[in-house]
Amino acid sequence: MSEPAADDLTVGDEIDVEVGPVAHGGHCVARHEGRVLFVRHTLPGERVRVRITEGGPGDRFLRADAVTVTEASEHRVDVRCPVAGPGGCGGCDFQHVATGHQRDLKARVVAEQLQRLAGLERRVVVEPLDDADGLRYRTRVEFAVADGKVGLRRHRSHDIVPLTGCPIAVPGIDEALTETLAETAQAKGALAGIAALDVVVPSAEEDTVVVEVPADAPTPPITVTERVATPAGERVMGVDARGFWQVHRDAPRAFVEAVLTAADVQEGERVLDLYCGVGLFSVPLAEAVGPDGQLVAVESDRRAVDHLRDNLGATPQALVVPGRVDDLFGIARKGPKGSKGGRNGRGRTRGRTARSDLLPPSADVVVIDPPRTGAGREIVTALTSLRPRRLVYVACDPAALARDTAYPADLGFEMTGLRAFDAFPMTHHVECVATFETKGAAPTP
């Protein structure tokens, strides 16, 4: 039976393709009669039979799963999870890839994004963290709940794949999930009104925490404590059980070391820490500036701000500034495309505000850890106007980092250092710590 023509391909069709390079997002690029397909569960250089999962005639590209491998890559391994693969759990992208080669693929993606979006040629090495060859590292997992099912969602779907454990989670999460499933099985309707179960294994506590997330009500605050190594010694920090904290058990240590090395803060300096959460970087940065310096920590989430203040404690050189970064710098918020209130319907959710007097007019070092979407041109411009000697950018998305890398280059800054970390093995995600300095400065590691 002949294969469908490229222009006629639609969901469910199967074709044979030769797989091209890895792309950002956990898939590889293939072409059928010139038409682009983004294919999951495969590797560059393989020949596979794919099944179309999204798209149809007239779409710019199609999404597909590799369902049969006819010529396998030398880097292909047996999946380490029973629900990974086509039609299974969407949490992991690279279960079929040798762990070391996963890092090679992620390095290619970071380098490609920097070249394509920032015009920057840079060799990238993704460093491993301390884990069991990419397994048993995750200290937080949110399990979806619906219709009596507990599990994780299929790729790009709300459908739940039931499961009793997760091989990338630390053992305590599997144990807690098994106990919870056994308890709820004995009580009919025990999960009624519950949208999710957040299971957390805090590093500074013996007990695992299971948070029942209501379907139609706010989750009450639950504080857990995490242990973090800093140059001044071990620190214990509080964070909401559903608040932001790095999920890899070794990530807090590695990222604190990377940020402090990149920032190279000197006593007496002024440091600005933006999107600082509960203070993973703020606490050691405040210690680094000393009593004659200043640490200004900015965070918008109310619960995180409360924990930030507690974690900083009686540190006179630390100033906590609650609020959104764009608001505090007097930058108008950007609304979603098509929203009302602005030119051509692209709009702003609110107008430009006055710059906050709580923000300093200058800073020696700026540390920024923005959301996955990145900081954006206006915020980067505001930061460079502070004329810091170093800007340290922590990024969980290489495309956002690449876009934001292009902006300081236009303002007299250049990337002088870049480290990448495999903080999310088995997935396509990668964490980067980039250093920017005024042009002509000596490179940093």
Side-chain angles (χ1 to χ4, degrees), residues 235-247:
R235 297 289 178 263
V236 174
M237 300 186 189
V239 58
D240 190 83
R242 299 202 69 224
F244 178 78
W245 188 259
Q246 293 293 339
V247 299

Side-chain angles (χ1 to χ4, degrees), residues 176-187:
L177 179 63
T178 299
E179 293 176 7
T180 301
L181 291 175
E183 292 171 1
T184 56
Q186 302 298 320

Side-chain angles (χ1 to χ4, degrees), residues 63-139:
R63 297 185 185 274
D65 284 343
V67 293
T68 304
V69 180
T70 54
E71 292 183 20
S73 164
E74 62 179 316
H75 302 294
R76 177 175 283 275
V77 298
D78 293 335
V79 297
R80 288 147 281 191
C81 175
V83 296
C89 170
C92 290
D93 309 291
F94 292 147
Q95 282 275 349
H96 60 289
V97 185
T99 311
H101 192 61
Q102 293 179 29
R103 294 193 286 271
D104 293 340
L105 295 178
K106 295 179 187 186
R108 294 180 200 176
V109 169
V110 175
E112 186 271 338
Q113 294 292 300
L114 288 172
Q115 192 282 324
R116 185 170 64 87
L117 298 176
L120 181 64
E121 298 284 349
R122 192 172 187 98
R123 180 176 177 269
V124 178
V125 175
V126 176
E127 304 173 37
L129 297 184
D130 182 17
D131 51 48
D133 194 30
L135 302 176
R136 298 302 176 197
Y137 67 85
R138 193 176 179 103
T139 62

Side-chain angles (χ1 to χ4, degrees), residues 136-213:
R136 298 302 176 197
Y137 67 85
R138 193 176 179 103
T139 62
R140 286 160 162 73
V141 177
E142 180 172 285
F143 296 98
V145 177
D147 302 323
K149 297 179 182 178
V150 178
L152 297 173
R153 300 194 186 277
R154 300 186 195 278
H155 181 61
R156 296 176 63 85
S157 171
H158 292 293
D159 294 342
I160 294 177
V161 179
L163 44 75
T164 57
C166 176
I168 67 172
V170 295
I173 286 181
D174 284 2
E175 294 165 6
L177 179 63
T178 299
E179 293 176 7
T180 301
L181 291 175
E183 292 171 1
T184 56
Q186 302 298 320
K188 185 177 180 180
L191 296 175
I194 302 299
L197 295 173
D198 271 13
V199 186
V200 182
V201 180
S203 59
E205 299 180 20
E206 294 185 2
D207 295 332
T208 299
V209 177
V210 179
V211 182
E212 296 183 347
V213 182

Side-chain angles (χ1 to χ4, degrees), residues 16-21 29-32 42-48 71:
D16 294 311
V17 298
E18 183 173 345
V19 181
V29 179
R31 285 178 169 79
H32 177 61
T42 189
L43 279 158
E46 291 189 327
R47 288 197 62 84
V48 296
E71 292 183 20

